[in-house]
Amino acid sequence: MKALIPAAGRGTRFLPVTRVVPKEMLPVGSKPAIQLIVEEAVAAGADEVVIVISPEKEIIKRYFDGDAELSARVRWACQAEQRGLGHAVLQAAEAFAGESEPVLVLLGDALVSGEAPSAAMAAISRAHGNASVVGLERVPRERISRYGIVAGVPEDDRTLKLTDLVEKPSPEEAPSDLAIAGRYLLHPDVFALLASQPPGHGGEIQLTDAIRRLLSTRPVFGFRYPGRRHDIGNPGGYLETLQAFA
Ligand code: UTP
């Protein structure tokens, strides 16, 4: 399995430190957050990890170039202009040319405490003939408009077959309270869809919009994973992350 970590975002919610320190490099114990994410990918079976950075975030590359013990090959892609998560994923397309297996996508600023979701998602994907799977969490109504929200038909207590996805809906428009939560296993068709994806919410190229189009040709499942997701991309979320990992 191959993994992809978008880590090229500007990190405006964590200024001023992110002027020089990428949020993905903030320490959780003695390791930068992104190292824990790479370890989650490797534990789920990834033998190659492609990290998308911007020219300002070269320090991430310097960090991994110094790690001889990592049991996966790390490759690099560059997003020069921050045009959204979907656009960041698209910049890594070349590294996945000719692939037919789903790609594990882990957001560089999302850590999960407790059971790691990636390995369980890979198992669900295999059980459904290498289908795409998105990690989900329940969110309170007042936070629904911050996330991509899904609709689907339940398969069991934690798994559903998706019928729709909407990026940042109002609570009235939202089809459920299940939010896409930082982990994805995506059929490589998603790269071609992203290449023709017009800007969506906020004028950014949205990964959620491309997955919505993927749904019309390929099955996509949702998995409400048992671990707890933490957003290290803002000071409050970062403090919660440190408490959870302490
Ligand atoms: P966020 O949605 O947290 O966006 O990105 P951001 O731009 O980094 O942060 P703010 O809103 O300015 O504070 C989620 C993940 O996607 C990456 C980020 O690095 C983060 O790991 N991302 C986001 C990109 O790689 N490129 C983008 O254009 C946007």
Side-chain angles (χ1 to χ4, degrees):
M1 185 167 65
K2 289 187 180 182
L4 195 176
I5 304 178
R10 276 194 298 264
T12 52
R13 288 169 299 148
F14 218 141
L15 283 168
V17 68
T18 45
R19 287 207 312 248
V20 292
V21 181
K23 56 184 171 180
E24 295 84 359
M25 288 302 292
L26 291 172
V28 177
S30 63
K31 294 177 180 175
I34 193 167
Q35 162 111 42
L36 299 177
I37 295 171
V38 169
E39 287 175 4
E40 179 183 328
V42 171
D47 52 9
E48 187 170 310
V49 181
V50 183
I51 304 179
V52 184
I53 55 172
S54 66
E56 294 77 30
K57 295 172 92 167
E58 274 285 314
I59 190 171
I60 299 178
K61 181 168 186 299
R62 244 197 292 152
Y63 174 80
F64 282 103
D65 283 350
D67 186 349
E69 279 169 31
L70 201 67
S71 51
R73 177 170 175 222
V74 180
R75 295 174 68 184
W76 302 93
C78 179
Q79 185 193 30
E81 247 184 292
Q82 279 52 63
R83 295 176 56 200
L85 174 59
H87 182 256
V89 169
L90 178 60
Q91 305 317 299
E94 217 173 273
F96 300 95
E99 288 291 322
S100 57
E101 304 235 325
V103 177
L104 175 63
V105 179
L106 309 95
L107 298 197
D109 62 355
L111 287 180
V112 180
S113 59
E115 205 178 302
S118 295
M121 287 171 58
I124 292 168
S125 171
R126 281 192 297 270
H128 291 90
N130 279 346
S132 301
V133 183
V134 298
L136 301 173
E137 68 174 341
R138 272 196 208 293
V139 292
R141 191 179 152 83
E142 64 273 16
R143 279 170 47 209
I144 276 179
S145 60
R146 295 190 207 171
Y147 298 99
I149 302 289
V150 305
V153 182
E155 294 248 305
D156 60 42
D157 186 34
R158 292 200 171 269
T159 317
L160 59 162
K161 188 157 192 269
L162 300 194
T163 53
D164 203 4
L165 303 91
V166 195
E167 185 61 30
K168 300 189 173 65
S170 68
E172 294 73 37
E173 294 164 333
S176 76
D177 62 351
L178 291 169
I180 304 173
R183 299 290 183 269
Y184 311 72
L185 254 171
L186 298 175
H187 189 281
D189 277 2
V190 78
F191 293 109
L193 293 169
L194 282 169
S196 64
Q197 187 62 50
H201 188 94
E204 296 193 331
I205 296 175
Q206 299 287 354
L207 182 58
T208 304
D209 295 342
I211 302 172
R212 185 167 196 257
R213 284 164 65 215
L214 184 65
L215 251 188
S216 62
T217 53
R218 307 246 177 213
V220 182
F221 291 83
F223 175 56
R224 192 169 58 79
Y225 57 72
R228 227 183 104 213
R229 166 206 154 100
H230 306 277
D231 180 4
I232 60 154
N234 64 84
Y238 178 55
L239 276 180
E240 268 175 42
T241 310
L242 294 184
Q243 280 166 346
F245 279 79

